[in-house]
């Protein structure tokens, strides 16, 4: 039986790759692709008459497959279905790192899942508080309530917007440039940053349109997302590359971090580095960039 390390709310999550729990062939070696997290799906990828079979296959995967450093999340069925409570029991009994709450609309839904998770942790002798939560915001109501959702539980690692359901409820189609979801993405990002949790963009469904995918990933990064839901292994590399700090950013951040203490000791609060003004917020951001570069495995200095 596999014992997974304690889940970390703040870990690196550039990619969260969905896969159908109903398909043992997909989930048995999902870690080989190197996405930061995988999402074993019990919800919309699983046909209604296969929910029990998917849960069975999920439980055996959680118990017997060593996913190594890959975080293992499970997307449970919506709270308006007869499935979600049994989904929660299986996730906790199997030792999943966290649960993605599908179609989350308000804080009360988070509290309901949290109560079910706690009951399952007690039932199966799992350390209380071990199982993390994240919310998928898939409707206008979910987006409007983003802040109350992400602050509803100490287990909450963050939230993700879900474009398929969201666009359907807004009567819009996916657009190059993302104008149809710009406001919702922005509102969710504000809520997540205000709450100090992570924030993820939706999956890009057109897996053969790499150009469109790459344009969306670049925009996600520019907007401030921590990562993205994905549906296919060929989407991983570009997201990882885009979300890692560049060599130029690392060199500049290193210069700021190394210089800031000396400047502060000399009583100087604001000065220029390579022709750019810097003061306290820039140092904090430089430290974040170095930490991110370390987590991405692209920092080789001694800070
Ligand atoms: C799309 C396709 C069928 C294409 O398959 P294909 O086989 O044609 O792909 P190929 O590229 O040929 O695969 C090459 C090799 O990779 C393996 N491989 C492929 N995909 C893999 C994968 N995901 N995990 C591990 N392995 C994989 C494959 O087995 C093969 O291995 P091998 O045979 O050994 O060479 C496949 O990708 C897939 O099933 N994707 C996940 C779909 C899914 O789960 N959707 C539900 C979640 S979204 C949703 O519900 C909407 C949402 O709710 C979202 C939100 O909330 O954010 C909203 O509202 O927006
Ligand atoms: Mg959905």
């Amino acid at each position: 039986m596999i014992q997974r390390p304690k889940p970390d709310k703040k870990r690196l999550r550039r990619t969260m790759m969905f896969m159908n729990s109903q398909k043992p062939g997909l989930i048995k070696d999902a870690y080989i692709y190197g996405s930061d997290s995988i999402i074993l799906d019990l919800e919309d990828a699983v046909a209604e008459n296969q929910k029990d079979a998917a849960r069975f296959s999920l439980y055996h995967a959680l118990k017997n497959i060593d996913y190594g450093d890959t975080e293992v999340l499970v997307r449970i069925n919506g709270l308006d279905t007869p499935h979600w409570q049994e989904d929660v029991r299986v996730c906790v009994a199997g030792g999943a790192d966290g649960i993605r709450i599908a179609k989350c609309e308000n804080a009360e839904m988070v509290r309901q899942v949290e109560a079910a998770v706690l009951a399952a942790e007690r039932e199966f002798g799992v350390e209380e508080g071990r199982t993390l939560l994240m919310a998928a915001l898939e409707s206008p109501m979910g987006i409007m309530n983003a802040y109350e959702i992400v602050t509803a539980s100490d287990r909450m690692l963050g939230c993700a917007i879900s474009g398929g359901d969201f666009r359907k409820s807004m009567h819009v189609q996916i657009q190059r440039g993302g104008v149809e979801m710009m406001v919702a993405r922005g509102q969710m990002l504000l809520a997540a940053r205000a709450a100090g949790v992570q924030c993820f963009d939706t999956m890009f469904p057109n897996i053969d349109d790499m150009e469109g995918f790459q344009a969306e990933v670049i925009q996600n990064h520019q907007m401030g997302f921590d990562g993205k839901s994905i549906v296919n292994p060929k989407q991983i590399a570009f997201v990882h590359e885009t979300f890692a700090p560049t060599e130029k950013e690392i060199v500049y951040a290193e210069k700021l971090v190394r210089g800031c203490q000396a400047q502060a000791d000399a009583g100087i609060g604001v000065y220029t580095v390579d022709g750019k003004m810097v003061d306290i917020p820039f140092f904090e951001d430089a430290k974040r960039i170095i930490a991110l570069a370390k987590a991405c495995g692209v920092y080789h200095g001694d800070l």
Side-chain angles (χ1 to χ4, degrees), residues 263 267-272 277-280 283:
Q263 295 289 342
I268 300 167
V270 60
Y271 58 105
T272 60
M277 186 214 87
V278 294
D279 60 7
I280 289 166
F283 305 140

Side-chain angles (χ1 to χ4, degrees), residues 25-297:
L26 277 191
I27 65 179
K28 74 174 182 355
D29 51 9
Y31 55 90
I32 61 173
Y33 297 112
S35 61
D36 293 325
S37 309
I38 57 172
I39 307 171
L40 302 171
D41 191 22
L42 293 171
E43 199 220 8
D44 282 351
V46 179
E48 186 63 24
N49 65 4
Q50 296 298 314
K51 297 291 187 189
D52 289 338
R55 245 185 248 121
F56 185 76
S57 146
L58 169 75
Y59 178 76
H60 285 279
L62 290 172
K63 279 293 191 196
N64 296 306
I65 298 172
D66 183 0
Y67 287 102
D69 290 339
T70 305
E71 182 180 50
V72 183
L73 305 172
V74 178
R75 179 169 71 167
I76 60 169
N77 284 284
L79 274 65
D80 57 348
T81 71
H83 307 299
W84 74 272
Q85 281 154 311
E86 194 55 20
D87 294 348
V88 168
R89 289 182 71 244
V90 169
C91 292
V92 173
D97 296 327
I99 289 177
R100 179 164 166 138
I101 308 171
K103 300 181 176 63
C104 190
E105 303 243 293
N106 53 52
E108 181 50 30
M109 291 170 94
V110 177
R111 287 192 281 269
Q112 276 182 266
V113 176
E114 183 178 50
V117 168
L118 182 60
E121 286 173 343
R122 288 175 179 160
E123 180 182 354
F124 296 107
V126 173
E127 182 189 343
E128 286 184 21
R130 182 185 188 283
T131 318
L132 302 179
L133 298 178
M134 70 172 290
L137 311 184
E138 314 202 31
S139 68
M141 192 55 80
I143 296 294
M144 296 299 287
N145 291 333
Y147 185 75
E148 70 163 50
I149 288 171
V150 293
T151 52
S153 165
D154 284 345
R155 296 174 187 256
M156 192 60 80
L157 70 89
C159 54
I161 191 165
S162 299
D165 279 284
F166 184 77
R167 291 187 187 100
K168 183 194 69 182
S169 58
M170 295 297 288
H171 306 171
V172 295
Q173 304 297 322
I174 189 167
Q175 300 294 327
R176 188 65 68 92
V179 66
E180 84 288 2
M181 293 219 313
M182 194 62 86
V183 171
R185 282 178 166 126
Q187 187 154 333
M188 184 182 74
L189 275 160
L190 286 172
R193 289 284 171 260
V197 299
Q198 295 181 346
C199 195
F200 310 97
D201 191 49
T202 184
M203 56 94 204
F204 186 80
N206 311 334
I207 56 177
D208 291 332
D209 177 10
M210 283 312 278
E211 203 187 308
F213 173 71
Q214 292 179 356
E216 184 167 284
V217 173
I218 290 168
Q219 186 189 66
N220 293 163
H221 182 245
Q222 289 170 339
M223 288 184 78
F225 283 100
D226 293 293
K228 188 168 184 62
S229 309
I230 58 168
V231 289
N232 190 276
K234 69 183 174 193
Q235 297 178 325
I236 296 172
F238 188 77
V239 182
H240 284 195
E241 193 184 305
T242 306
F243 278 78
T246 62
E247 184 59 30
K248 195 172 160 197
E249 287 168 336
I250 295 168
V251 168
Y252 188 71
E254 198 167 21
K255 214 182 254 187
L256 258 63
V257 173
R258 288 194 195 282
C260 71
Q261 194 56 52
Q263 295 289 342
D265 291 347
I268 300 167
V270 60
Y271 58 105
T272 60
V273 175
D274 296 348
K276 294 179 209 145
M277 186 214 87
V278 294
D279 60 7
I280 289 166
F282 291 80
F283 305 140
E284 293 306 317
D285 200 51
K287 288 180 196 161
R288 180 190 65 77
I289 287 170
I290 296 293
L292 178 61
K294 283 182 188 171
C296 294

